[in-house]
């Protein structure tokens, strides 16, 4: 009777099995963004609550992770499409996705630390350690993808934590134990989950756009059985990693220091499988149904990513077509087609929209530069930029092909130069006036490239514009490149007089 009238309640709502069941069901049924924000709040509260015993704490975190897993993956799948939805919505989704995985990492890491400090009292969760190791590595992998959506930074501690968990599994002799990460998922091993992160890093995601990163991760999961992590040094080894060191996997240019924690892997068999898959896609015009892409993607979206994977996994890295020359020089940069057109047409005011970069190296095909990341943080792989070298009057047009954040406010970009003498024109496209960039000198009977807004390019609709007291008429042919605010196409020069 005294217990019936007691005001004492469970210290945490999720300690009540009935309440926990309702909360988890609600998270699983919500929209991804809302689900992640709710799950994040619950994770924070669990870690902060000292009333849980270790076994109960881990059990609730496992269940919360399981309930939120599908929505968390959907959030990552949908994020690349948000570039046109506005920066505030994109930022909210990125913070929710990245933040959720960080909180899950913290929650699992807290359980692991409590286990190590508990001595014999930790024996209650010992049978669950393999799943804990695997889920923790998987959470690190998911957060790594979210970091890569914004091109970093990824610090040394990430690699130290990742390698440390893998080595703990090795010490416990469970790294190759078959397990199921989540209900309904195929069986895997801790070593395979760890290897997937290594392959993801080795696949140069800094050269892909967010959608391509999402597609690339799915493809890596599909081709992962063609990789293996080995201890022996073999002639066909391509990459090495020392799990005890805070370093990412590295191409094997020279033999690293031999230690018990040194591992090797290569992608030769995977590259061969990729090439067969590309041939199949070209023959059938579709992505093979046995590849779990998480969504429907057109063949022309998947093929460039497969080509990228094949290059990265080849025994020899792709060679540069032109030599780089190291220099150090200031550089002015503006973002996007509209800003470049405004600058070239003389309509920009002073330093409006200009950012200062520092050139690190140049080649015939482009340049590398160090950048200070501005508050609006617009730099992305694939974006179009206007560049003006220090002391020059001319502007170049380029496309960002590589982007790495070395620190929260610092980064490194690689830009492919697509025109050294661009011209801003106002073109008549079948009665609709559009701002466009002429990238080549027009010659009658030849082709010239133009950059224009995506909705301004139409088949069989010629562009007519005035340039240097002449009238040019150009007809669209094949599309060469696309970005968020531009399309670049070849045009046949019918007349220019």
């Amino acid at each position: 009777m005294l217990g019936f009238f007691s005001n004492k309640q469970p210290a945490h709502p999720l300690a009540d099995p009935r309440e926990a069941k309702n909360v988890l069901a609600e998270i699983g049924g919500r929209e991804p963004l809302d689900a992640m924000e709710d799950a994040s709040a619950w994770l924070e509260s669990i870690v902060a609550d000292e009333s849980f015993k270790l076994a109960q704490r881990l059990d609730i975190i496992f269940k919360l992770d399981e309930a939120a897993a599908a929505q968390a993956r959907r959030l990552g799948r949908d994020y690349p499409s948000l570039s046109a939805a506005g920066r505030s919505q994109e930022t909210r989704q990125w913070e929710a996705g990245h933040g959720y995985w960080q909180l899950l990492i913290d929650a699992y890491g807290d359980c692991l630390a409590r286990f190590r400090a508990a001595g014999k009292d930790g024996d209650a969760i010992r049978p669950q350690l393999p799943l804990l190791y695997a889920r923790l590595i998987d959470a690190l992998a998911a957060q790594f993808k979210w970091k890569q959506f914004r091109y970093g930074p990824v610090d040394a501690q990430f690699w130290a934590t990742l390698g440390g968990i893998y080595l703990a599994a090795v010490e416990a002799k469970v790294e190759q134990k078959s397990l199921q990460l989540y209900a309904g998922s195929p069986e895997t091993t801790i070593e395979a989950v760890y290897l997937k992160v290594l392959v993801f890093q080795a696949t140069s995601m800094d050269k892909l756009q967010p959608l391509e990163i999402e597609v690339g991760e799915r493809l890596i999961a599909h081709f992962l059985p063609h990789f293996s992590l080995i201890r022996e040094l073999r002639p066909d080894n391509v990459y090495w990693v020392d799990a005890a060191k805070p370093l990412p996997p590295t191409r094997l240019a020279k033999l690293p220091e031999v230690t018990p924690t040194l591992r090797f892997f290569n992608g030769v068999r995977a590259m061969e499988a990729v090439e067969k898959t590309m041939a199949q896609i070209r023959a059938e015009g579709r992505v093979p149904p046995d590849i779990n892409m998480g969504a429907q993607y057109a063949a022309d979206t998947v093929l460039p990513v497969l080509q990228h994977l094949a290059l990265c996994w080849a025994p020899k890295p792709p060679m540069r077509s032109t030599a780089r020359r190291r220099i150090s020089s200031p550089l002015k940069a503006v973002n996007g087609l509209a800003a470049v057109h405004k600058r070239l047409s003389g309509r920009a005011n002073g330093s409006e929209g200009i950012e200062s970069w520092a050139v690190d190296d140049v080649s015939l095909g482009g340049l590398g530069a160090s950048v200070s990341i501005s508050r609006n943080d617009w730099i992305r792989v694939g974006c179009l930029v206007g560049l003006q070298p220090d002391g020059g009057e001319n502007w170049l047009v380029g496309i960002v092909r590589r982007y790495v954040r070395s620190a929260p406010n610092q980064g490194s970009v690689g830009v492919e130069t697509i025109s050294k003498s661009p011209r801003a024109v106002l073109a008549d496209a079948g009665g609709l006036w559009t701002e466009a960039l002429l990238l080549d000198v027009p010659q009658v009977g030849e082709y010239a490239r133009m950059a224009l807004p995506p909705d301004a390019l139409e088949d069989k609709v010629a562009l007519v514009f005035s340039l240097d007291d002449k009238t040019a008429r150009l007809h669209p042919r094949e599309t060469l490149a696309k970005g968020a605010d531009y399309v670049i196409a070849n045009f046949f020069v019918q007349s220019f007089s």
Side-chain angles (χ1 to χ4, degrees):
M1 290 294 291
L2 290 176
F4 180 80
F5 290 104
S6 172
N7 290 324
K8 187 176 181 181
Q9 299 292 328
H12 192 283
L14 295 185
D16 179 352
R18 183 177 299 176
E19 180 66 18
K21 184 178 180 180
N22 292 336
V23 168
L24 298 179
E26 185 176 346
I27 287 174
R30 302 201 73 180
E31 288 299 309
L33 183 57
D34 295 331
M36 291 304 93
E37 291 175 341
D38 284 357
S40 294
W42 284 115
L43 282 170
E44 281 189 289
S45 69
I46 293 168
V47 173
D49 195 308
E50 292 295 329
S51 67
F52 288 111
K53 291 185 177 180
L54 179 55
Q56 185 185 27
R57 178 185 299 273
L58 181 59
D59 180 63
I60 291 174
I61 295 170
F62 273 153
K63 289 177 179 176
L64 184 59
D65 180 9
E66 184 90 35
Q71 307 297 54
R73 304 298 176 184
R74 279 183 58 196
L75 194 74
R77 182 198 67 191
D78 296 343
Y79 173 79
S81 65
L82 281 181
S83 58
R87 182 50 57 88
S88 61
Q89 179 67 11
E90 178 193 354
T91 298
R92 182 187 172 196
Q93 188 147 341
W94 187 88
E95 289 177 347
H98 180 270
Y100 166 75
W101 290 111
Q102 181 60 61
L103 288 166
L104 186 61
I105 291 164
D106 292 343
Y108 280 139
D110 177 65
C111 288
L112 196 54
R114 290 172 185 270
F115 164 76
R116 289 168 174 166
K120 289 186 178 180
D121 293 337
D123 288 347
I125 72 163
R126 193 174 296 278
Q128 295 171 295
L129 283 180
L131 183 59
L132 172 57
Y133 292 141
R135 289 269 190 101
L136 184 46
I137 293 175
D138 186 65
L140 284 161
Q143 189 201 45
F144 187 28
K145 183 180 76 170
W146 279 96
K147 287 182 181 296
Q148 203 59 60
F149 278 152
R150 288 196 168 181
Y151 306 103
V154 179
D155 58 26
Q157 185 58 45
F158 172 85
W159 298 107
T161 301
L162 184 74
I165 300 162
Y166 169 69
L167 291 178
V170 172
E171 184 178 0
K173 299 181 180 180
V174 296
E175 78 277 14
Q176 295 184 8
K177 175 183 173 66
S178 293
L179 52 81
Q180 196 174 30
L181 266 178
Y182 296 97
S185 64
E187 286 197 345
T188 186
T189 65
I190 295 168
E191 187 163 273
V193 180
Y194 174 61
L195 179 58
K196 182 184 173 186
V197 186
L198 303 182
V199 174
F200 186 90
Q201 168 64 19
T203 307
S204 298
M205 294 295 176
D206 58 344
K207 296 180 181 178
L208 299 180
Q209 298 179 42
L211 177 60
E212 295 172 321
I213 292 171
E214 172 66 21
V215 170
E217 186 208 25
R218 293 282 182 169
L219 292 172
I220 288 169
H222 178 75
F223 292 108
L224 193 65
H226 297 282
F227 290 88
S228 58
L229 198 62
I230 61 173
R231 297 171 184 255
E232 299 81 17
L233 176 62
R234 297 177 182 172
D236 59 351
N237 289 334
V238 178
Y239 295 95
W240 66 271
V241 67
D242 192 326
K245 295 181 179 179
L247 299 170
T250 306
R251 269 195 177 263
L252 189 62
K254 62 178 182 179
L255 182 64
E257 178 187 1
V258 178
T259 67
T261 52
L262 187 64
R263 300 291 187 274
F264 302 92
F265 65 98
N266 73 69
V268 176
R269 291 194 305 121
M271 183 190 69
E272 294 169 351
V274 166
E275 290 173 343
K276 290 180 181 178
T277 300
M278 287 194 290
Q280 182 180 350
I281 291 175
R282 292 188 180 108
E284 299 178 359
R286 61 165 189 163
V287 179
D290 65 315
I291 302 179
N292 179 12
M293 300 298 298
Q296 295 293 323
Y297 296 106
D300 59 1
T301 298
V302 176
L303 275 171
V305 183
L306 285 167
Q307 291 168 344
H308 177 78
L309 266 57
L311 284 174
C312 292
W313 298 347
K316 294 183 179 180
M319 301 296 292
R320 292 184 175 273
S321 57
T322 58
R324 290 190 298 176
R325 181 166 60 90
R326 294 285 180 183
I327 67 169
S328 180
S329 176
L331 182 72
K332 295 177 181 177
V334 294
N335 166 40
L337 176 66
V340 176
H341 191 280
K342 196 172 185 179
R343 184 62 53 180
L344 293 178
S345 61
R347 295 180 293 112
N349 297 321
S351 59
E352 177 188 5
I354 289 180
E355 295 192 5
S356 297
W357 293 2
V359 180
D360 297 324
D361 59 74
V362 295
S363 68
L364 289 176
L367 57 86
S370 298
V371 301
S372 295
I373 300 169
S374 62
R375 180 177 296 180
N376 61 10
D377 186 21
W378 55 264
I379 303 173
R380 294 289 186 272
V381 170
C383 70
L384 186 142
V385 294
L387 304 171
Q388 187 180 58
D390 184 46
E393 295 296 327
N394 64 305
W395 284 83
L396 315 175
V397 175
I399 297 176
V400 174
R401 296 302 188 191
R402 174 185 56 81
Y403 179 34
V404 178
R405 287 174 183 254
S406 52
N409 297 313
Q410 293 291 324
S412 173
V413 300
V415 179
E416 176 192 5
T417 303
I418 60 173
S419 179
K420 296 181 179 179
S421 55
R423 301 290 298 273
V425 300
L426 186 61
D428 178 0
L432 298 175
W433 292 95
T434 184
E435 296 179 351
L437 301 177
L438 179 65
L439 304 178
D440 302 308
V441 177
Q443 297 183 27
V444 176
E446 301 293 336
Y447 288 92
R449 295 167 301 149
M450 295 192 71
L452 59 161
D455 57 359
L457 180 64
E458 297 185 43
D459 290 341
K460 300 180 181 179
V461 176
L463 294 186
V464 180
F465 55 87
S466 297
L467 182 69
D468 298 334
D469 299 323
K470 297 180 180 179
T471 299
R473 186 179 184 87
L474 282 68
H475 292 268
R477 293 296 186 260
E478 73 271 19
T479 298
L480 303 175
K482 294 180 179 179
D485 66 335
Y486 70 89
V487 60
I488 297 173
N490 253 341
F491 283 78
F492 178 75
V493 183
Q494 180 185 10
S495 60
F496 183 47
S497 60

